[in-house]
Amino acid sequence: MEPGNEPLIKFDKVVKKFGDNVVLDGLDLDVNAGERVTLIGPSGSGKTTILRLLMTLEHVNGGTIWVGGKPFSHMYRGDQLVPANEKYLREHRKTIGMVFQQFNLFPNMTVRKNVTEGPVHSLGVPKEEASERAVELLEMVGLADKIDAHPTQLSGGQQQRVAIARALAMRPEILLLDEVTSALDPELVAGVLDVLREIARGTDITMLCVTHEMGFARDVSDRVFMFDAGRIAESGPPEQIFGDPREDRTKSFLKAVLEHE
Amino acid sequence: MDFVINSLPLYWEGALLTIRLTVFGAALAFVLAVVVGTLGTMRNKAARAVAMVYTEVFRGVAALVLLFWFGNSLQEITGFRLETEFAAILALGLNVGAYGAEVVRSSINAVPRAQTEASIALNMTWWRRTRLVVFPQAWAQMLPTFGNLVIELMKATAIVSLIGLTDLTKVADDFRASAVADTFTVYSVALVGYFLFAQVLIVLVRLLERRANRKLGRPTDDSLLGLLRPPSIGTTTGGAR
Ligand SMILES: Nc1ncnc2c1ncn2[C@@H]1O[C@H](COP(=O)(O)OP(=O)(O)OP(=O)(O)O)[C@@H](O)[C@H]1O
Ligand SMILES: [Mg+2]
């Protein structure tokens, strides 16, 4: 393979089980550097699991995940691939950031600390520098005035925007977004989506979004993956998936989602 | 009344021992509770085994027996004599520390898993996320039960006269034995002493709780009266697995 053409993220026959429940059964998935992909599909089809595997919150039961041309779920011992140990994971997951459905801000820290603790403690960024960067990021998400507030004093939408700033503070190459607007009141959704559009426009971060916001998916994604039962039912550019889906499963899924809206 | 005034210095000396035993016993119990309780939350099986052995052994053994053991038996086996006061602190600290370890363990386990996941997403090490994220949140949960435990510990110090120490209870008992005053009076003074000391402990723990809750951005009851409210039982280890 040509070095330049190698996908940034590569799932190679990835198997993930929870007990007897085989969630991913030999999944192959490639994402290129700088690409914005959206994962859609019915509940339980494995979308969250894919993001959690990339964030190393879950571990594969078979197959291998590659990031940047290097093994990610595994590491080399000699020329054997063995499951990655914690040290290896720490070295390699620092290129990846994640925003959660429920925000998961640290309630024992102010907004500023939430955004600076990662860079200071995991990347060794000096406190002042991290703090300056926090101010910039909070300005970008429109919350510079909340820098000394506690998460409990913020609305869900504000908390989620802080969570996005927190993830960006780690300067990730890959950003994982798992239904980041699903827990929000409807009137707060637009503010968060605007921030994400801004990131899509102003950076070259590779983004993997799980979302039910089809309008947003259409606007920002380069490719949409339709999942069903842990497999890719169909994938393609958003115009094709939303405008001219080939698979019946995609059609019925989109119909259900759009009716719901 | 004369008796009370004249005997106060002696009571005070006994009370000082009670206070010392409580403070040092609680300090030892606290350190043990945090270390062993944290070991109990680790994935490492050996760490968890150490924690389990300690908590099961020292919760199962009466403080009194521990006291005799450190105060007397240890010397018989090893020929090494612990200073009596130190033996008492060790017995009380080890005993209460075992209960405290369970509180720490369940409070840490009650911190939502999502918090740990968020700190993994920020690539924090186990040590950093325990220290910066998990423990501070568990802390607010531990405090009410810690308050109860430190008062339990203070009350348990009343047994130390059995290895020859003169604490507040022993002073009262000596007065009764020498019949310088009636039983009612001699013990009432001790009673008031314990009560006041317990109040001080409750207020201190309450202040710590307020600070902890404020750090979590939770509403706090800032009334003066709220400071005297004894730690509530049952609000302690909710969600513990
Ligand atoms: N920790 C877990 N333990 C057991 N089963 C799990 C666990 N996490 C996920 N699963 C199962 O894995 C399957 C896929 O779950 P996943 O969360 O990836 O789906 P999803 O596509 O994100 O669904 P949704 O749209 O509802 O969020 C489901 O059947 C779920 O029950
Ligand atoms: Mg999901």
Side-chain angles (χ1 to χ4, degrees):
Chain A
M1 207 186 289
E2 296 284 313
N5 298 337
E6 212 168 296
L8 179 62
I9 301 167
K10 185 173 181 61
F11 278 56
D12 181 18
K13 299 189 182 56
V14 167
V15 177
K16 178 64 195 172
K17 304 178 204 169
F18 293 102
D20 291 339
N21 181 5
V22 182
V23 177
L24 303 178
D25 188 9
L27 176 73
D28 289 324
L29 172 81
D30 288 354
V31 178
N32 297 320
E35 214 181 356
R36 278 68 199 252
V37 305
T38 307
L39 315 184
I40 61 171
S43 183
S45 57
K47 306 175 302 282
T48 296
T49 303
I50 290 168
L51 298 196
R52 289 173 59 84
L53 283 168
L54 273 170
M55 197 64 259
T56 71
L57 301 175
E58 305 286 355
H59 303 283
V60 300
N61 300 112
T64 313
I65 301 173
W66 300 73
V67 173
K70 291 189 198 131
F72 181 73
S73 59
H74 290 68
M75 58 194 244
Y76 282 114
R77 181 170 298 151
D79 47 14
Q80 284 274 79
L81 279 179
V82 296
N85 61 22
E86 177 56 27
K87 182 163 172 263
Y88 186 87
L89 291 177
R90 249 182 73 69
E91 185 53 35
H92 288 77
R93 73 170 153 239
K94 66 183 174 205
T95 58
I96 303 180
M98 181 159 182
V99 182
F100 300 86
Q101 186 171 350
Q102 299 291 342
F103 336 133
N104 302 355
L105 292 181
F106 304 129
N108 57 312
M109 299 177 194
T110 60
V111 166
R112 182 197 303 270
K113 279 256 168 190
N114 263 282
V115 180
T116 55
E117 286 300 69
V120 169
H121 288 285
S122 303
L123 303 177
V125 175
K127 269 208 171 105
E128 258 106 275
E129 195 183 317
S131 200
E132 279 165 28
R133 172 105 172 114
V135 173
E136 277 170 33
L137 287 166
L138 289 168
E139 262 162 19
M140 190 198 80
V141 302
L143 289 172
D145 55 327
K146 300 288 186 193
I147 191 159
D148 292 312
H150 268 283
T152 46
Q153 297 163 334
L154 305 180
S155 74
Q158 291 172 330
Q159 289 191 49
Q160 193 58 298
R161 284 184 276 153
V162 172
I164 293 169
R166 176 174 76 172
L168 291 178
M170 297 291 286
R171 299 185 186 278
E173 285 170 38
I174 300 167
L175 187 61
L176 310 172
L177 303 149
D178 189 10
E179 295 196 34
V180 298
T181 57
S182 295
L184 300 179
D185 292 336
E187 72 273 18
L188 302 176
V189 170
V192 172
L193 292 183
D194 284 345
V195 167
L196 295 180
R197 283 199 178 88
E198 173 77 26
I199 296 168
R201 206 179 45 75
T203 73
D204 54 7
I205 299 175
T206 306
M207 290 165 75
L208 274 75
C209 320
V210 174
T211 183
H212 295 303
E213 300 289 336
M214 296 304 159
F216 171 78
R218 196 189 288 256
D219 292 353
V220 302
S221 25
D222 300 311
R223 253 193 312 164
V224 178
F225 288 88
M226 164 72 198
F227 277 85
D228 190 46
R231 295 172 173 276
I232 301 172
E234 182 170 3
S235 76
E239 306 79 52
Q240 187 244 305
I241 297 288
F242 295 120
D244 179 25
R246 293 190 187 134
E247 296 287 322
D248 289 342
R249 283 170 294 184
T250 316
K251 285 177 197 161
S252 58
F253 172 75
L254 288 174
K255 191 159 168 275
V257 172
L258 294 175
E259 262 168 23
H260 184 78
E261 270 175 0
Chain B
M1 205 60 222
D2 272 357
F3 159 75
V4 172
I5 290 161
N6 292 333
S7 60
L8 272 184
L10 271 179
Y11 272 117
W12 177 241
E13 238 168 68
L16 274 183
L17 178 67
T18 298
I19 292 171
R20 272 206 310 278
L21 292 176
T22 307
V23 170
F24 290 116
L28 175 63
F30 177 75
V31 172
L32 283 169
V34 169
V35 172
V36 176
T38 306
L39 286 179
T41 64
M42 290 173 71
R43 256 197 300 179
N44 187 305
K45 282 213 177 83
R48 282 213 311 272
V50 169
M52 201 179 81
V53 168
Y54 167 74
T55 44
E56 291 311 319
V57 166
F58 286 95
R59 276 198 310 180
V61 178
L64 186 59
V65 178
L66 272 182
L67 190 70
F68 284 145
W69 197 84
F70 281 118
N72 306 317
S73 317
L74 187 65
Q75 186 188 9
E76 270 166 37
I77 320 171
T78 63
F80 176 72
R81 176 150 190 82
L82 289 178
E83 212 221 309
T84 322
E85 190 174 326
F86 182 64
I89 289 170
L90 215 54
L92 293 165
L94 280 165
N95 182 243
V96 175
Y99 287 95
E102 271 306 287
V103 177
V104 171
R105 192 184 63 82
S106 57
S107 302
I108 287 180
N109 283 339
V111 173
R113 168 100 190 121
Q115 289 288 312
T116 302
E117 293 183 346
S119 59
I120 292 174
L122 295 177
N123 211 10
M124 289 186 188
T125 57
W126 175 87
W127 171 245
R128 291 248 154 83
R129 75 173 176 260
T130 301
R131 191 164 62 82
L132 301 172
V133 176
V134 178
F135 199 84
Q137 294 179 55
W139 177 236
Q141 174 115 321
M142 296 171 201
L143 275 172
T145 324
F146 275 174
N148 287 325
L149 283 179
V150 73
I151 286 167
E152 287 301 318
L153 191 147
M154 180 203 75
K155 291 193 262 181
T157 59
I159 58 173
V160 296
S161 62
L162 294 169
I163 54 167
L165 289 172
T166 310
D167 70 328
L168 187 52
T169 302
K170 181 72 163 92
V171 171
D173 211 38
D174 286 348
F175 280 132
R176 181 195 51 83
S178 58
V180 286
D182 59 296
T183 319
F184 178 78
T185 314
V186 295
Y187 287 123
S188 294
V189 176
L191 211 78
V192 171
Y194 279 111
F195 174 77
L196 289 177
F197 189 28
Q199 279 331 97
V200 172
L201 292 175
I202 289 174
V203 169
L204 287 178
V205 175
R206 283 269 151 206
L207 286 171
L208 285 176
E209 268 179 61
R210 277 184 189 180
R211 209 175 68 121
N213 281 321
R214 211 170 304 126
K215 283 209 168 149
L216 290 179
R218 291 183 189 158
T220 53
D221 163 19
D222 285 335
S223 67
L224 214 58
L225 216 83
L227 281 180
L228 293 171
R229 204 154 35 86
S232 44
I233 302 165
T235 58
T236 49
T237 52
R241 282 159 238 157

